[in-house]
Amino acid sequence: MKQVVAGIDIGGTNTVFGLTDRDGNIHATGSLKTGDYSDGEFFIQDLANAISKTLANDFKLVGIGIGCPNGNHYEGTMENAPNLNMKGIVPFVKRFEEIFSVPTVLTNDANAAAIGEMVFGGAKGLKDFIMVTLGTGVGSGFVANGQLIYGHDSFAGEIGHMTIFPDGRPCGCKRKGCLETYTSASGIAKTFIELTEKHNGKKLENITSYDVLLEAENGNPMAIETFDYTAKILGLALSNAVCITSPSHIFLFGGPIKAGHFLLDPLQKYMEEDMLFVFKNKVKLQISELMDKNAAILGSAALSWSSHSFSVSLQKS
Amino acid sequence: MKQVVAGIDIGGTNTVFGLTDRDGNIHATGSLKTGDYSDGEFFIQDLANAISKTLANDFKLVGIGIGCPNGNHYEGTMENAPNLNMKGIVPFVKRFEEIFSVPTVLTNDANAAAIGEMVFGGAKGLKDFIMVTLGTGVGSGFVANGQLIYGHDSFAGEIGHMTIFPDGRPCGCKRKGCLETYTSASGIAKTFIELTEKHNGKKLENITSYDVLLEAENGNPMAIETFDYTAKILGLALSNAVCITSPSHIFLFGGPIKAGHFLLDPLQKYMEEDMLFVFKNKVKLQISELMDKNAAILGSAALSWSSHSFSVSLQKS
């Protein structure tokens, strides 16, 4: 029987999972609509049933890894995730260990992405790197001394909520000027809307960061300026983060990265301009190698394989 | 024979050392004027001679720990320290190991302070904390998962060079708006000079942060506002740093901390105001327990004891 772990990614819209072997091959997948659930226990039971169905005779489940918003690694719980209908504290690890009797680990999605990069992607063998995930929000996972930094409460790695402008844009966290208000997908769209209104007097609505990319490809100078401005702010934030952990690499992940050279060329330039001299031209800025793969599942699966390698190795395949 | 390590602190003005036992008792000390030396090798020989003289028959030297500006922990060298006459790369570890035949370790001074706090001060048993040193510059040592974060090149922990205002005060590092331009001793003096000129039209000169404290104690509102402004900026920087490593404690060290409640009360207030909700009221802000002790020597001694505990334990006392 092939040993697999279930890599589960709980997203705001969909929850996806995949049975993943030690080499990162995904053998079977499934999904649920996260938004359909307001009760954690119903969600856990439906998710467990869906996983059980994919476990055909060929597979032996040896672990479960879960990436989720507001994941508390130490407690194994999802805590008050602001964008989900499931409120309160959901005890995923306890319940899945009861149901499947296999070691289960949980962390937040950006941390899972960092571990995925370390186990299956471009960060293999690296001891000090940062993963930055750009999407609805901006997340991060910091690895130092070869270990993920969880912090004393497991909530470390919130680069998206570092304050860039103390009186800047209002953020969902009720503070102002957080990095993610400028460099998340909606932050990028907002910058484009603001620039277009300022320069052309046009009021735009229902714009996504993908629309901004299409506009940039069509040569719209406001769109090109939008990515330049996004890069300027992200470059400053990355140079500040480098001051703290001095990574050899920074990996970027998420939809807005698809803007390619419109974002990445100015980002590299601004980051180096802002960098303290001791760090200049030392930090490699790279796109995640899992960008076009099933990264969310692989991250959660990697979390399980990396956490349970000892206990797993005692079992026969 | 009593086992001791030599804890050496290389400062801009003075270099001090002390023979320190495992419990943090300093049995003999000595010092040199760092500024007298432009040649690293002459400095090393004089320092070695001074240490040798203090090693009376009662002591057995089992290790050396060195804290210095721009210390490269991995290479064991001091590299291009900007405020010293000794230029270039000074190979302290290699030379001291040749001279004394004992394991020698080196790191930058703020990292040594963090390790000192962990071994001999208020951070005993803590896994995740930050040490912030305020002085001529602003340094820091970050501990996560119980280990100091050195980063890939050993230069991590430069909180003083995180950019607070992209177009702010010019910094010695040739960038602008770094934290240390506002919260170092000279940054504090500069704020007081600026505020006084703005409010009273008086041009002040040769002011130190200690003068500002005396003024605050005399009720000078500009001095009180100076510490409030310093606290506001430091509070913002600390809340940003917490986003990355989520420490349980932040320790403060250095001359400006002597401002006491003028600085610490508003600092606590601003830090909590700026804190992301998940971290609010979780992080303990404390003064270093080594503030009134021989902290620089103890930090370097702790570095040696913590790094060489295994090899040292094999030797007979």
Side-chain angles (χ1 to χ4, degrees), chain A residues 248-300:
Chain A
S248 61
H249 293 66
I250 297 174
F251 293 91
L252 300 170
F253 183 88
I257 307 302
K258 299 208 169 89
H261 69 93
F262 291 114
L263 179 65
L264 299 175
D265 290 355
L267 178 57
Q268 179 78 50
K269 183 189 76 171
Y270 288 122
M271 185 183 83
E272 289 299 345
E273 277 178 15
D274 291 338
M275 201 73 93
L276 182 64
F277 67 96
V278 292
F279 304 120
K280 262 191 205 295
N281 303 311
K282 278 183 175 177
V283 185
K284 284 192 187 135
L285 190 63
Q286 282 183 213
I287 296 175
S288 163
E289 289 189 7
L290 305 183
M291 263 291 272
D292 297 320
K293 297 182 183 169
N294 226 327
I297 289 174
L298 287 177
S300 302

Short mmCIF file of all heavy atoms in Angstrom, two decimals, chain A residues 248-300:
data_model
loop_
_atom_site.label_atom_id
_atom_site.label_comp_id
_atom_site.label_asym_id
_atom_site.label_seq_id
_atom_site.Cartn_x
_atom_site.Cartn_y
_atom_site.Cartn_z
N SER A 248 18.58 34.23 2.93
CA SER A 248 19.31 34.14 1.65
C SER A 248 18.35 34.29 0.48
O SER A 248 18.75 34.72 -0.60
CB SER A 248 20.03 32.79 1.55
OG SER A 248 19.10 31.73 1.60
N HIS A 249 17.09 33.92 0.68
CA HIS A 249 16.10 33.95 -0.39
C HIS A 249 14.77 34.51 0.10
O HIS A 249 14.40 34.29 1.26
CB HIS A 249 15.81 32.55 -0.93
CG HIS A 249 16.95 31.90 -1.64
ND1 HIS A 249 18.12 31.54 -0.99
CD2 HIS A 249 17.11 31.54 -2.94
CE1 HIS A 249 18.94 30.99 -1.87
NE2 HIS A 249 18.37 30.98 -3.05
N ILE A 250 14.07 35.17 -0.80
CA ILE A 250 12.66 35.51 -0.56
C ILE A 250 11.86 34.90 -1.70
O ILE A 250 12.17 35.12 -2.87
CB ILE A 250 12.43 37.03 -0.51
CG1 ILE A 250 13.21 37.66 0.66
CG2 ILE A 250 10.94 37.36 -0.39
CD1 ILE A 250 13.15 39.18 0.69
N PHE A 251 10.86 34.09 -1.35
CA PHE A 251 9.99 33.49 -2.36
C PHE A 251 8.65 34.22 -2.37
O PHE A 251 8.13 34.59 -1.33
CB PHE A 251 9.75 32.00 -2.04
CG PHE A 251 10.99 31.18 -2.19
CD1 PHE A 251 11.84 30.98 -1.10
CD2 PHE A 251 11.34 30.63 -3.42
CE1 PHE A 251 13.00 30.22 -1.24
CE2 PHE A 251 12.50 29.88 -3.56
CZ PHE A 251 13.33 29.68 -2.47
N LEU A 252 8.15 34.41 -3.58
CA LEU A 252 6.87 35.10 -3.74
C LEU A 252 5.86 34.13 -4.31
O LEU A 252 6.17 33.33 -5.20
CB LEU A 252 7.03 36.28 -4.70
CG LEU A 252 8.02 37.36 -4.27
CD1 LEU A 252 8.25 38.32 -5.43
CD2 LEU A 252 7.51 38.10 -3.04
N PHE A 253 4.65 34.23 -3.81
CA PHE A 253 3.60 33.31 -4.23
C PHE A 253 2.28 34.07 -4.34
O PHE A 253 2.02 34.97 -3.56
CB PHE A 253 3.46 32.18 -3.18
CG PHE A 253 2.45 31.16 -3.54
CD1 PHE A 253 2.82 30.06 -4.31
CD2 PHE A 253 1.13 31.28 -3.15
CE1 PHE A 253 1.89 29.11 -4.68
CE2 PHE A 253 0.19 30.34 -3.51
CZ PHE A 253 0.58 29.24 -4.28
N GLY A 254 1.44 33.67 -5.29
CA GLY A 254 0.08 34.20 -5.33
C GLY A 254 -0.28 34.89 -6.64
O GLY A 254 0.59 35.21 -7.46
N GLY A 255 -1.57 35.11 -6.80
CA GLY A 255 -2.11 35.68 -8.03
C GLY A 255 -1.38 36.91 -8.54
O GLY A 255 -0.99 36.96 -9.72
N PRO A 256 -1.17 37.92 -7.71
CA PRO A 256 -0.55 39.15 -8.20
C PRO A 256 0.85 38.95 -8.81
O PRO A 256 1.30 39.77 -9.60
CB PRO A 256 -0.48 40.04 -6.95
CG PRO A 256 -1.65 39.60 -6.13
CD PRO A 256 -1.71 38.11 -6.35
N ILE A 257 1.50 37.83 -8.46
CA ILE A 257 2.82 37.55 -9.02
C ILE A 257 2.72 37.30 -10.53
O ILE A 257 3.69 37.47 -11.26
CB ILE A 257 3.46 36.32 -8.33
CG1 ILE A 257 3.45 36.47 -6.82
CG2 ILE A 257 4.87 36.06 -8.82
CD1 ILE A 257 4.16 37.69 -6.33
N LYS A 258 1.54 36.92 -10.97
CA LYS A 258 1.35 36.69 -12.42
C LYS A 258 1.56 37.97 -13.22
O LYS A 258 1.67 37.93 -14.45
CB LYS A 258 -0.04 36.10 -12.67
CG LYS A 258 -0.25 34.76 -11.96
CD LYS A 258 -1.25 33.86 -12.66
CE LYS A 258 -1.22 32.45 -12.09
NZ LYS A 258 -2.13 32.27 -10.95
N ALA A 259 1.61 39.11 -12.56
CA ALA A 259 1.92 40.37 -13.26
C ALA A 259 3.34 40.35 -13.82
O ALA A 259 3.72 41.22 -14.60
CB ALA A 259 1.73 41.56 -12.33
N GLY A 260 4.13 39.36 -13.42
CA GLY A 260 5.46 39.15 -14.01
C GLY A 260 6.33 40.39 -13.94
O GLY A 260 6.43 41.04 -12.90
N HIS A 261 6.93 40.73 -15.09
CA HIS A 261 7.93 41.81 -15.09
C HIS A 261 7.34 43.15 -14.68
O HIS A 261 8.06 44.02 -14.19
CB HIS A 261 8.61 41.91 -16.46
CG HIS A 261 7.71 42.39 -17.55
ND1 HIS A 261 7.62 43.73 -17.90
CD2 HIS A 261 6.82 41.74 -18.34
CE1 HIS A 261 6.73 43.86 -18.88
NE2 HIS A 261 6.24 42.67 -19.17
N PHE A 262 6.05 43.36 -14.87
CA PHE A 262 5.44 44.63 -14.45
C PHE A 262 5.62 44.85 -12.95
O PHE A 262 5.80 45.96 -12.49
CB PHE A 262 3.93 44.66 -14.77
CG PHE A 262 3.62 44.72 -16.24
CD1 PHE A 262 2.99 43.66 -16.88
CD2 PHE A 262 3.98 45.84 -16.98
CE1 PHE A 262 2.71 43.72 -18.23
CE2 PHE A 262 3.70 45.90 -18.34
CZ PHE A 262 3.07 44.83 -18.97
N LEU A 263 5.59 43.76 -12.19
CA LEU A 263 5.75 43.85 -10.74
C LEU A 263 7.18 43.51 -10.32
O LEU A 263 7.77 44.19 -9.47
CB LEU A 263 4.76 42.89 -10.05
CG LEU A 263 4.82 42.86 -8.52
CD1 LEU A 263 4.38 44.21 -7.93
CD2 LEU A 263 3.92 41.74 -7.97
N LEU A 264 7.74 42.46 -10.90
CA LEU A 264 8.98 41.90 -10.36
C LEU A 264 10.21 42.75 -10.68
O LEU A 264 11.12 42.86 -9.84
CB LEU A 264 9.17 40.45 -10.84
CG LEU A 264 8.03 39.51 -10.40
CD1 LEU A 264 8.20 38.13 -11.02
CD2 LEU A 264 7.96 39.41 -8.88
N ASP A 265 10.24 43.35 -11.87
CA ASP A 265 11.41 44.18 -12.21
C ASP A 265 11.52 45.38 -11.26
O ASP A 265 12.57 45.60 -10.66
CB ASP A 265 11.36 44.63 -13.67
CG ASP A 265 11.61 43.47 -14.63
OD1 ASP A 265 11.91 42.36 -14.14
OD2 ASP A 265 11.49 43.66 -15.85
N PRO A 266 10.43 46.17 -11.11
CA PRO A 266 10.57 47.28 -10.15
C PRO A 266 10.74 46.79 -8.71
O PRO A 266 11.42 47.45 -7.92
CB PRO A 266 9.27 48.08 -10.32
CG PRO A 266 8.31 47.17 -11.03
CD PRO A 266 9.14 46.23 -11.84
N LEU A 267 10.18 45.64 -8.38
CA LEU A 267 10.32 45.13 -7.00
C LEU A 267 11.79 44.85 -6.68
O LEU A 267 12.30 45.25 -5.63
CB LEU A 267 9.48 43.86 -6.83
CG LEU A 267 9.57 43.19 -5.46
CD1 LEU A 267 9.17 44.16 -4.35
CD2 LEU A 267 8.70 41.93 -5.41
N GLN A 268 12.46 44.17 -7.60
CA GLN A 268 13.88 43.89 -7.42
C GLN A 268 14.66 45.22 -7.26
O GLN A 268 15.51 45.36 -6.37
CB GLN A 268 14.38 43.12 -8.65
CG GLN A 268 15.85 42.77 -8.63
CD GLN A 268 16.16 41.57 -7.74
OE1 GLN A 268 15.51 40.54 -7.85
NE2 GLN A 268 17.13 41.70 -6.86
N LYS A 269 14.34 46.17 -8.10
CA LYS A 269 15.03 47.47 -8.08
C LYS A 269 14.80 48.20 -6.75
O LYS A 269 15.75 48.61 -6.09
CB LYS A 269 14.53 48.34 -9.25
CG LYS A 269 15.23 49.68 -9.38
CD LYS A 269 14.56 50.60 -10.39
CE LYS A 269 13.28 51.20 -9.81
NZ LYS A 269 12.66 52.27 -10.61
N TYR A 270 13.55 48.32 -6.35
CA TYR A 270 13.26 49.07 -5.11
C TYR A 270 13.80 48.35 -3.88
O TYR A 270 14.31 48.97 -2.96
CB TYR A 270 11.75 49.30 -4.96
CG TYR A 270 11.18 50.31 -5.92
CD1 TYR A 270 10.15 49.98 -6.79
CD2 TYR A 270 11.66 51.61 -5.95
CE1 TYR A 270 9.61 50.90 -7.68
CE2 TYR A 270 11.14 52.56 -6.84
CZ TYR A 270 10.11 52.19 -7.69
OH TYR A 270 9.60 53.11 -8.56
N MET A 271 13.68 47.02 -3.88
CA MET A 271 14.17 46.28 -2.72
C MET A 271 15.67 46.52 -2.53
O MET A 271 16.12 46.80 -1.42
CB MET A 271 13.88 44.78 -2.88
CG MET A 271 14.25 43.96 -1.66
SD MET A 271 13.99 42.18 -1.88
CE MET A 271 15.51 41.73 -2.73
N GLU A 272 16.41 46.47 -3.61
CA GLU A 272 17.86 46.69 -3.50
C GLU A 272 18.18 48.15 -3.15
O GLU A 272 19.10 48.42 -2.38
CB GLU A 272 18.59 46.28 -4.79
CG GLU A 272 18.64 44.78 -5.02
CD GLU A 272 19.38 44.00 -3.93
OE1 GLU A 272 20.09 44.59 -3.11
OE2 GLU A 272 19.21 42.76 -3.89
N GLU A 273 17.42 49.08 -3.70
CA GLU A 273 17.64 50.49 -3.36
C GLU A 273 17.45 50.74 -1.87
O GLU A 273 18.16 51.52 -1.26
CB GLU A 273 16.66 51.39 -4.13
CG GLU A 273 17.08 51.71 -5.54
CD GLU A 273 16.04 52.56 -6.28
OE1 GLU A 273 15.13 53.14 -5.62
OE2 GLU A 273 16.13 52.62 -7.52
N ASP A 274 16.46 50.06 -1.32
CA ASP A 274 16.11 50.29 0.09
C ASP A 274 16.96 49.46 1.05
O ASP A 274 16.91 49.68 2.26
CB ASP A 274 14.63 49.91 0.33
CG ASP A 274 13.67 50.88 -0.35
OD1 ASP A 274 14.09 52.02 -0.63
OD2 ASP A 274 12.53 50.49 -0.61
N MET A 275 17.72 48.52 0.52
CA MET A 275 18.41 47.56 1.37
C MET A 275 19.58 48.20 2.13
O MET A 275 20.37 48.94 1.56
CB MET A 275 18.93 46.43 0.48
CG MET A 275 19.20 45.15 1.20
SD MET A 275 17.69 44.28 1.66
CE MET A 275 17.47 43.21 0.24
N LEU A 276 19.70 47.85 3.42
CA LEU A 276 20.88 48.23 4.21
C LEU A 276 22.13 47.65 3.54
O LEU A 276 22.10 46.53 3.04
CB LEU A 276 20.72 47.69 5.63
CG LEU A 276 21.85 48.03 6.62
CD1 LEU A 276 21.92 49.52 6.88
CD2 LEU A 276 21.65 47.28 7.93
N PHE A 277 23.22 48.43 3.55
CA PHE A 277 24.41 48.04 2.78
C PHE A 277 24.88 46.61 3.04
O PHE A 277 25.27 45.91 2.11
CB PHE A 277 25.55 49.05 2.96
CG PHE A 277 26.13 49.07 4.35
CD1 PHE A 277 27.26 48.34 4.65
CD2 PHE A 277 25.53 49.81 5.37
CE1 PHE A 277 27.79 48.36 5.94
CE2 PHE A 277 26.04 49.83 6.65
CZ PHE A 277 27.18 49.09 6.94
N VAL A 278 24.82 46.16 4.28
CA VAL A 278 25.32 44.79 4.55
C VAL A 278 24.51 43.71 3.84
O VAL A 278 24.99 42.59 3.68
CB VAL A 278 25.39 44.43 6.06
CG1 VAL A 278 26.45 45.23 6.76
CG2 VAL A 278 24.04 44.58 6.75
N PHE A 279 23.29 44.03 3.44
CA PHE A 279 22.44 43.01 2.81
C PHE A 279 22.32 43.20 1.29
O PHE A 279 21.70 42.36 0.62
CB PHE A 279 21.03 43.05 3.41
CG PHE A 279 21.00 42.87 4.90
CD1 PHE A 279 20.46 43.84 5.74
CD2 PHE A 279 21.52 41.72 5.49
CE1 PHE A 279 20.44 43.69 7.11
CE2 PHE A 279 21.51 41.55 6.86
CZ PHE A 279 20.96 42.53 7.67
N LYS A 280 22.88 44.27 0.77
CA LYS A 280 22.69 44.58 -0.65
C LYS A 280 23.21 43.46 -1.55
O LYS A 280 24.30 42.94 -1.33
CB LYS A 280 23.42 45.89 -1.01
CG LYS A 280 22.51 47.11 -1.02
CD LYS A 280 23.23 48.31 -1.63
CE LYS A 280 22.64 49.62 -1.15
NZ LYS A 280 21.26 49.89 -1.54
N ASN A 281 22.44 43.14 -2.56
CA ASN A 281 22.82 42.14 -3.58
C ASN A 281 23.16 40.77 -3.00
O ASN A 281 23.95 40.02 -3.54
CB ASN A 281 24.02 42.65 -4.40
CG ASN A 281 23.70 43.98 -5.05
OD1 ASN A 281 22.66 44.13 -5.67
ND2 ASN A 281 24.58 44.96 -4.88
N LYS A 282 22.54 40.46 -1.86
CA LYS A 282 22.76 39.15 -1.25
C LYS A 282 21.51 38.29 -1.29
O LYS A 282 21.59 37.07 -1.22
CB LYS A 282 23.12 39.32 0.24
CG LYS A 282 24.56 39.66 0.55
CD LYS A 282 24.69 39.70 2.08
CE LYS A 282 26.11 39.91 2.54
NZ LYS A 282 26.15 40.02 4.02
N VAL A 283 20.34 38.95 -1.30
CA VAL A 283 19.08 38.22 -1.12
C VAL A 283 18.47 37.89 -2.48
O VAL A 283 18.24 38.79 -3.28
CB VAL A 283 18.08 39.06 -0.29
CG1 VAL A 283 16.82 38.24 0.00
CG2 VAL A 283 18.72 39.56 0.99
N LYS A 284 18.24 36.61 -2.73
CA LYS A 284 17.64 36.21 -4.02
C LYS A 284 16.12 36.28 -3.93
O LYS A 284 15.51 35.63 -3.08
CB LYS A 284 18.07 34.79 -4.37
CG LYS A 284 19.48 34.74 -4.87
CD LYS A 284 19.83 33.40 -5.49
CE LYS A 284 21.32 33.37 -5.80
NZ LYS A 284 21.96 32.12 -5.39
N LEU A 285 15.55 37.05 -4.86
CA LEU A 285 14.09 37.20 -4.93
C LEU A 285 13.61 36.22 -6.00
O LEU A 285 14.01 36.33 -7.16
CB LEU A 285 13.78 38.64 -5.33
CG LEU A 285 12.35 39.13 -5.25
CD1 LEU A 285 11.84 39.11 -3.82
CD2 LEU A 285 12.27 40.57 -5.80
N GLN A 286 12.78 35.26 -5.61
CA GLN A 286 12.37 34.22 -6.55
C GLN A 286 10.87 33.97 -6.49
O GLN A 286 10.26 34.12 -5.44
CB GLN A 286 13.06 32.89 -6.20
CG GLN A 286 14.49 32.81 -6.65
CD GLN A 286 15.11 31.45 -6.36
OE1 GLN A 286 16.29 31.37 -6.08
NE2 GLN A 286 14.32 30.39 -6.42
N ILE A 287 10.33 33.55 -7.62
CA ILE A 287 8.94 33.10 -7.62
C ILE A 287 8.90 31.68 -7.05
O ILE A 287 9.80 30.88 -7.32
CB ILE A 287 8.38 33.13 -9.05
CG1 ILE A 287 8.36 34.58 -9.56
CG2 ILE A 287 6.97 32.54 -9.10
CD1 ILE A 287 7.93 34.71 -10.99
N SER A 288 7.89 31.40 -6.26
CA SER A 288 7.74 30.06 -5.70
C SER A 288 7.76 29.01 -6.81
O SER A 288 7.12 29.19 -7.84
CB SER A 288 6.42 29.97 -4.94
OG SER A 288 6.06 28.62 -4.74
N GLU A 289 8.45 27.92 -6.58
CA GLU A 289 8.47 26.85 -7.59
C GLU A 289 7.17 26.05 -7.58
O GLU A 289 6.96 25.20 -8.44
CB GLU A 289 9.67 25.91 -7.35
CG GLU A 289 10.98 26.58 -7.70
CD GLU A 289 12.16 25.63 -7.69
OE1 GLU A 289 11.96 24.40 -7.53
OE2 GLU A 289 13.30 26.12 -7.83
N LEU A 290 6.33 26.33 -6.61
CA LEU A 290 5.05 25.62 -6.54
C LEU A 290 3.90 26.45 -7.14
O LEU A 290 2.74 26.05 -7.07
CB LEU A 290 4.71 25.23 -5.10
CG LEU A 290 5.77 24.41 -4.36
CD1 LEU A 290 5.28 24.03 -2.98
CD2 LEU A 290 6.15 23.16 -5.15
N MET A 291 4.25 27.60 -7.72
CA MET A 291 3.22 28.53 -8.23
C MET A 291 2.22 27.85 -9.14
O MET A 291 1.02 28.09 -9.05
CB MET A 291 3.88 29.69 -8.99
CG MET A 291 4.08 30.94 -8.17
SD MET A 291 2.56 31.80 -7.72
CE MET A 291 2.35 32.86 -9.16
N ASP A 292 2.69 27.04 -10.09
CA ASP A 292 1.77 26.45 -11.04
C ASP A 292 1.40 25.02 -10.68
O ASP A 292 0.80 24.30 -11.45
CB ASP A 292 2.37 26.51 -12.45
CG ASP A 292 2.58 27.96 -12.87
OD1 ASP A 292 1.68 28.78 -12.57
OD2 ASP A 292 3.62 28.27 -13.46
N LYS A 293 1.80 24.63 -9.48
CA LYS A 293 1.41 23.30 -9.01
C LYS A 293 0.30 23.44 -7.98
O LYS A 293 -0.20 24.53 -7.73
CB LYS A 293 2.63 22.59 -8.40
CG LYS A 293 3.72 22.37 -9.43
CD LYS A 293 4.88 21.62 -8.84
CE LYS A 293 5.98 21.49 -9.90
NZ LYS A 293 7.23 20.99 -9.31
N ASN A 294 -0.08 22.36 -7.40
CA ASN A 294 -1.16 22.38 -6.42
C ASN A 294 -0.59 22.79 -5.06
O ASN A 294 -0.55 22.01 -4.10
CB ASN A 294 -1.77 20.98 -6.36
CG ASN A 294 -3.27 21.08 -6.40
OD1 ASN A 294 -3.83 22.04 -5.87
ND2 ASN A 294 -3.93 20.10 -6.99
N ALA A 295 -0.16 24.06 -5.01
CA ALA A 295 0.68 24.52 -3.91
C ALA A 295 0.02 24.40 -2.55
O ALA A 295 0.66 24.03 -1.57
CB ALA A 295 1.10 25.96 -4.15
N ALA A 296 -1.26 24.72 -2.47
CA ALA A 296 -1.93 24.72 -1.17
C ALA A 296 -1.96 23.31 -0.59
O ALA A 296 -1.68 23.12 0.60
CB ALA A 296 -3.35 25.27 -1.31
N ILE A 297 -2.26 22.33 -1.43
CA ILE A 297 -2.26 20.93 -0.97
C ILE A 297 -0.84 20.50 -0.62
O ILE A 297 -0.60 19.88 0.44
CB ILE A 297 -2.87 20.00 -2.05
CG1 ILE A 297 -4.38 20.24 -2.15
CG2 ILE A 297 -2.56 18.53 -1.74
CD1 ILE A 297 -5.06 19.48 -3.28
N LEU A 298 0.12 20.84 -1.48
CA LEU A 298 1.50 20.41 -1.24
C LEU A 298 2.06 21.02 0.05
O LEU A 298 2.81 20.37 0.77
CB LEU A 298 2.39 20.80 -2.43
CG LEU A 298 2.18 19.97 -3.70
CD1 LEU A 298 3.05 20.50 -4.83
CD2 LEU A 298 2.50 18.50 -3.43
N GLY A 299 1.69 22.26 0.33
CA GLY A 299 2.16 22.91 1.56
C GLY A 299 1.67 22.16 2.79
O GLY A 299 2.44 21.84 3.70
N SER A 300 0.38 21.84 2.79
CA SER A 300 -0.18 21.13 3.95
C SER A 300 0.37 19.71 4.04
O SER A 300 0.63 19.20 5.14
CB SER A 300 -1.71 21.09 3.85
OG SER A 300 -2.22 22.40 3.77
#
